[in-house]
C-alpha cells in the first residue's frame, strides 16, 4: 500500500507527535528555559534546533493560510530552512542553529518610538495577540544567491504601523535586533557595527507584502530564524529581513543598516532583487535552491514586481538593486 507521508510543512508537529511525547518535550524545553536543567546550548541534543511550538504563544499556531500569497515553487524542506541560516550574532557561518538556542526570548520587550503619537514599550506576547495573524508562502532570496520557499506565519507590518500611529513627519522605520552579550558570541567580533540595524521607507513598511513573521511551518518561529519576531520583505535580498527585533523607531532620517555600514558598495539601503545587477563579486542571474541545489533564473523583485515596482517609480537615480 502506498502511504503518502505528509511533508513537514503540511502538519504542525503537535499533530504529528503523540500528545504525551509532545507534552513531555514541552516540559523539558520549559525546564531549559527556566534554567532548571543544567543544559547549555551546546549540550542540547542534536535536533533541538528543530524544536518549535514550545513557547507561550504556541497556542496561536497554526494560522490560516492566505491563498493570495502562494508560489509555484516547491516548498523548502523544514529541516533545511531551520538549519542553514545567517544570524551573525551567533557566528559568521551557516551552522548557527544550535548556538542560537542560548538566546533568551522571554520576556521580550518591543519598543516603538521616535516620530509616533506616543512611544511605548510592549511585551511581545501582548503585541502578537493584538495582531491579525495569517500564513503566507513566500520566495526568499539571499544576496549570496541561495533561495528558499517557506510558509511564514505573522502579520502585515502595516498593522504594526497603524498600531504605532506615526506622525506625519515619519519617513522611515528603523529596526534593531536584540543585543545579548552573554548569549550572542558574535557580538564579541567588535569589528562589526552592532547592533544589527535595518530600515524601510514608510511605503515599503506598509506595502501589503511586508510581514512581521512570528512563525514558520505552522509553528512559532525558532530562535535561529529570528524568534520571536522578524521582518520579511520577499522582494529584497535576505539581509533586509532583520531578525529578533526589539525596537521599531519611526524617523525622518534614512537609517544606515548593518551591512551598508560594513560595505555600502556591496550592500545598499534598497537591496531589491535584480538578476541584471550583479553583486560586485558575483552574478545575481541565477539562484541555488536550498532543497536540491538546483540553479534557477533569478527574477526581478524576486517575482514580486506587481506588488512593489510602483514604489520605486521616479527613483531611477537611486541604487535600487544593490
Ligand atoms: N538578522 C540579524 N539580526 N542578524 C543577521 O546576521 N542575517 C540576514 C537576515 N537577518 C541576519 C539577520 C541574512 S544575510 C539573511 S540571508 C537572513 O537573515 C537569513 O534568514 P534565515 O536564517 O531565516 O534564512
Amino acid at each position: 500500500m502506498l502511504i503518502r507521508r505528509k511533508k513537514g510543512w503540511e502538519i504542525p508537529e503537535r499533530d504529528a507527535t503523540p500528545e504525551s511525547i509532545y507534552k513531555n518535550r514541552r516540559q523539558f524545553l520549559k525546564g531549559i528555559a527556566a534554567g532548571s536543567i543544567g543544559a547549555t546550548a551546546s549540550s542540547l541534543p542534536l535536533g533541538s534546533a528543530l524544536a518549535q511550538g514550545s513557547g507561550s504563544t504556541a497556542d496561536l499556531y497554526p494560522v490560516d493560510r492566505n491563498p493570495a500569497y502562494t508560489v509555484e515553487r516547491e516548498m523548502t524542506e523544514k529541516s533545511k530552512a531551520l538549519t542553514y541560516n545567517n544570524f551573525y550574532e551567533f557566528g559568521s557561518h551557516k551552522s548557527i542553529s544550535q548556538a542560537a538556542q542560548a538566546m533568551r526570548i522571554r520576556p521580550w520587550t518591543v519598543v516603538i518610538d521616535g516620530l509616533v503619537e506616543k512611544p511605548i514599550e510592549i511585551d511581545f506576547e501582548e503585541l502578537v495577540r493584538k495582531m491579525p495573524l495569517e500564513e503566507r508562502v513566500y520566495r526568499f532570496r539571499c544576496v549570496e544567491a541561495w533561495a528558499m520557499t517557506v510558509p511564514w506565519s505573522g502579520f502585515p507590518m502595516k498593522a504594526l504601523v497603524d498600531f504605532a500611529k506615526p506622525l506625519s513627519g515619519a519617513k522611515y522605520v528603523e529596526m534593531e535586533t536584540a543585543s545579548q552579550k552573554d548569549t550572542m558570541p558574535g557580538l564579541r567580533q567588535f569589528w562589526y557595527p552592532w547592533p544589527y540595524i535595518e530600515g524601510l521607507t514608510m511605503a515599503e513598511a506598509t506595502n501589503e507584502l511586508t510581514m512581521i513573521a512570528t512563525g514558520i511551518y505552522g509553528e512559532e518561529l525558532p530562535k535561529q530564524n529570528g524568534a520571536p519576531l522578524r521582518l520579511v520583505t520577499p522582494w529584497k535580498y535576505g539581509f533586509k529581513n532583520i531578525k529578533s527585533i526589539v525596537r521599531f523607531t519611526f524617523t525622518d532620517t534614512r537609517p544606515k543598516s548593518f551591512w551598508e555600514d560594513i560595505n555600502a558598495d556591496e550592500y545598499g539601503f534598497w537591496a531589491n532583487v535584480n538578476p541584471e545587477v550583479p553583486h560586485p563579486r558575483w552574478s545575481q542571474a541565477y539562484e541555488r535552491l536550498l532543497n536540491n541545489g538546483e540553479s534557477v533564473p533569478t527574477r526581478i523583485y524576486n517575482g514580486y514586481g506587481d506588488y512593489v515596482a510602483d514604489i520605486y517609480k521616479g527613483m531611477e537615480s537611486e541604487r535600487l538593486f544593490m
Side-chain angles (χ1 to χ4, degrees):
M1 190 172 68
L2 182 71
I3 300 176
R4 181 174 172 268
R5 291 193 59 192
K6 285 203 169 201
K7 301 248 169 47
W9 61 84
E10 290 180 273
I11 40 171
E13 192 188 357
R14 66 174 158 274
D15 293 349
T17 313
E19 200 184 0
S20 58
I21 296 174
Y22 179 71
K23 281 199 171 141
N24 283 341
R25 193 192 59 129
R26 282 182 68 159
Q27 283 310 116
F28 174 71
L29 289 167
K30 268 189 193 150
I32 291 171
S36 61
I37 299 173
T40 61
S42 57
S43 68
L44 290 174
L46 196 71
S48 63
L50 297 180
Q52 286 178 264
S54 57
S56 46
T57 54
D59 60 296
L60 293 174
Y61 307 93
V63 292
D64 288 341
R65 181 173 295 180
N66 184 335
Y69 306 98
T70 43
V71 299
E72 74 295 347
R73 275 188 190 172
E74 189 180 87
M75 201 87 75
T76 300
E77 284 166 34
K78 171 176 160 176
S79 62
K80 297 219 159 100
L82 269 54
T83 57
Y84 187 88
N85 304 102
N86 274 331
F87 203 163
Y88 275 56
E89 285 83 342
F90 296 99
S92 46
H93 54 86
K94 301 287 175 286
S95 306
I96 55 77
S97 57
Q98 287 292 334
Q101 303 314 308
M103 180 167 57
R104 287 182 304 279
I105 58 167
R106 292 293 188 279
W108 190 274
T109 305
V110 178
V111 176
I112 300 176
D113 65 2
L115 299 174
V116 290
E117 273 182 22
K118 193 167 167 256
I120 57 160
E121 286 189 11
I122 183 167
D123 185 71
F124 166 72
E125 287 185 31
E126 195 189 335
L127 178 69
V128 70
R129 289 181 191 280
K130 287 181 195 297
M131 292 291 138
L133 296 180
E134 61 181 49
E135 183 179 72
R136 297 182 184 187
V137 179
Y138 279 164
R139 286 184 293 275
F140 181 98
R141 171 61 155 80
C142 178
V143 72
E144 298 162 333
W146 54 266
M148 60 182 185
T149 304
V150 295
W152 300 107
S153 310
F155 52 89
M157 187 165 175
K158 183 167 186 314
L160 183 111
V161 173
D162 291 345
F163 175 74
K165 299 198 177 74
L167 301 176
S168 59
K171 295 192 169 66
Y172 301 91
V173 191
E174 178 175 307
M175 289 152 274
E176 181 182 323
T177 295
S179 297
Q180 292 180 6
K181 285 211 169 84
D182 56 332
T183 70
M184 297 174 163
L187 298 191
R188 279 183 242 134
Q189 298 184 307
F190 56 84
W191 53 91
Y192 288 121
W194 307 111
Y196 199 99
I197 297 283
E198 259 307 337
L200 295 175
T201 63
M202 291 298 285
E204 292 174 330
T206 55
N207 182 273
E208 67 167 281
L209 286 183
T210 308
M211 267 183 101
I212 298 296
T214 57
I216 191 169
Y217 295 99
E219 297 191 67
E220 292 174 307
L221 208 55
K223 295 179 179 182
Q224 63 272 28
N225 293 91
L229 72 166
R230 59 96 54 89
L231 180 67
V232 178
T233 48
W235 73 100
K236 290 179 177 288
Y237 289 119
F239 66 85
K240 293 295 290 184
N241 295 228
I242 180 171
K243 296 178 170 179
S244 305
I245 303 171
V246 290
R247 183 184 293 272
F248 295 86
T249 302
F250 291 79
T251 166
D252 57 3
T253 311
R254 189 163 107 176
K256 182 166 245 182
S257 53
F258 178 82
W259 284 104
E260 193 183 9
D261 201 0
I262 294 168
N263 190 341
D265 290 337
E266 298 195 350
Y267 312 100
F269 174 77
W270 299 105
N272 296 314
V273 175
N274 188 340
E276 289 174 12
V277 180
H279 183 276
R281 289 181 283 131
W282 58 83
S283 164
Q284 295 291 23
Y286 286 84
E287 59 203 45
R288 179 177 55 85
L289 302 181
L290 275 196
N291 257 2
N292 53 11
E294 192 191 339
S295 180
V296 298
T298 295
R299 294 163 67 184
I300 187 155
Y301 295 114
N302 201 21
Y304 294 102
D306 287 349
Y307 296 91
V308 297
D310 277 356
I311 299 178
Y312 307 104
K313 284 228 169 90
M315 295 175 63
E316 287 72 21
S317 60
E318 295 276 336
R319 295 168 74 228
L320 293 173
F321 305 106
M322 187 61 68

